[in-house]
Amino acid sequence: MGAPAPRPNNPFMAQGLLPGTALRIEVSTREGTESYATRIEDVDAERVAILVPMRGLKPRPLAAGTLVRSVYIYRQKRWRFVTEVIGHSPDGAIEYLRLPPFIDCHERRRNYRLQVAIKPSRIYRLVVDGEETAEQEFEGTIVDLSESGCCIASKAFALPGERLGLEATLPEAGDIAVRARVVSVREPEAGYRMRRIHCEFLEMPRAQRDLIARYLMRRQIEMRRRGQL
């Protein structure tokens, strides 16, 4: 017998999020990152039902609220999404994941970027002078954000390869303090004064990456509710 027919209220049928699909998930632990295998049992408009994840042939149930990074293959492409555990079936055999607000194809881009408007508490340039490192602060606004980097709108000059420090509060998520490298700079268009400084994060602790992922997920959920996504 094949997998049961998917319910019509599954918004991600075209992306292959279907019952019977094998899923590889990653979660952060105190010791690092753990990877598990599971299978999708059902998908509806609110949640994804999966078998309790397995590792080493042993079930590894996850606590509600656990941030989950999931990857699966569909039509010879790798698809991924970030979500969280929201509950379990009464018999404990099934875990429920919140329906992700967005599913990204690996072939399209490295990380999904979300437009934001976040004013950091500090942005500073790291300047090495001999054996000492100085910090030169400047003003700017984060205008898009992903787990791997961000774009800063600023009047300040910047050059590719420069190292920056960034401290900011992500609403309803928490504080981040990261280092970044300037990848490219787009000069202001006619009539504008702001440069676009594109950065990639460097040596980011897993906890900081998870915090950004959770913030992006919740923002996308809210945007979907408002019909903006």
Side-chain angles (χ1 to χ4, degrees):
M1 296 180 61
R7 295 180 181 179
N9 59 348
N10 173 1
F12 293 116
M13 292 178 63
Q15 287 77 37
L17 195 70
L18 302 168
T21 298
L23 207 62
R24 175 66 62 177
I25 65 175
E26 288 187 353
V27 299
S28 297
T29 67
R30 293 181 179 179
E31 291 74 29
T33 301
E34 291 188 351
S35 180
Y36 306 99
T38 184
R39 186 183 71 209
I40 296 175
E41 291 293 288
D42 195 14
V43 183
D44 61 27
E46 300 294 332
R47 64 190 186 182
V48 180
I50 63 172
L51 293 176
V52 169
M54 302 286 290
R55 190 179 186 204
L57 301 180
K58 294 183 180 180
R60 298 292 182 92
L62 304 174
T66 300
L67 189 73
V68 174
R69 291 180 173 83
S70 304
V71 178
Y72 63 95
I73 305 297
Y74 178 64
R75 293 184 175 175
Q76 299 182 332
K77 295 181 180 180
R78 292 171 61 85
W79 301 81
R80 64 184 177 186
F81 60 88
V82 178
T83 186
E84 61 186 348
V85 179
I86 57 173
H88 304 78
S89 63
D91 63 4
I94 300 294
E95 288 190 347
Y96 298 113
L97 307 180
R98 187 184 305 281
L99 188 76
F102 180 86
I103 298 180
D104 190 26
C105 178
H106 279 212
E107 296 183 2
R108 289 205 296 265
R109 65 183 308 159
R110 183 179 175 188
N111 282 105
Y112 175 71
R113 287 181 177 265
L114 186 70
Q115 291 187 347
V116 296
I118 299 172
K119 188 71 173 177
S121 54
R122 288 186 72 208
I123 308 175
Y124 54 91
R125 184 180 288 109
L126 297 169
V127 181
V128 178
D129 184 8
E131 297 182 355
E132 297 184 357
T133 301
E135 299 178 357
Q136 298 179 350
E137 295 193 17
F138 62 91
E139 296 293 320
T141 300
I142 301 172
V143 293
D144 79 32
L145 179 66
S146 77
E147 291 182 47
S148 62
C150 68
C151 178
I152 300 170
S154 177
K155 297 178 184 178
F157 289 95
L159 295 173
E162 282 190 312
R163 302 299 174 97
L164 304 179
L166 177 68
E167 298 174 9
T169 298
L170 304 183
E172 299 182 6
D175 297 331
I176 59 171
V178 298
R179 295 289 176 90
R181 181 177 68 89
V182 177
V183 176
S184 63
V185 180
R186 192 175 75 189
E187 292 298 315
E189 298 178 1
Y192 294 87
R193 295 182 295 172
M194 294 292 189
R195 294 177 174 82
R196 293 297 181 102
I197 305 172
H198 298 274
C199 306
E200 65 175 358
F201 297 136
L202 301 173
E203 300 176 354
M204 176 181 288
R206 190 74 183 195
Q208 294 275 277
R209 184 183 173 195
D210 284 354
L211 190 150
I212 293 174
R214 193 178 296 278
Y215 167 75
L216 294 174
M217 178 187 68
R218 291 176 178 173
R219 274 292 310 276
Q220 291 172 70
I221 290 171
E222 183 61 31
M223 291 172 69
R224 181 176 290 278
R225 287 174 180 164
R226 295 178 180 178
Q228 299 172 332
L229 188 65

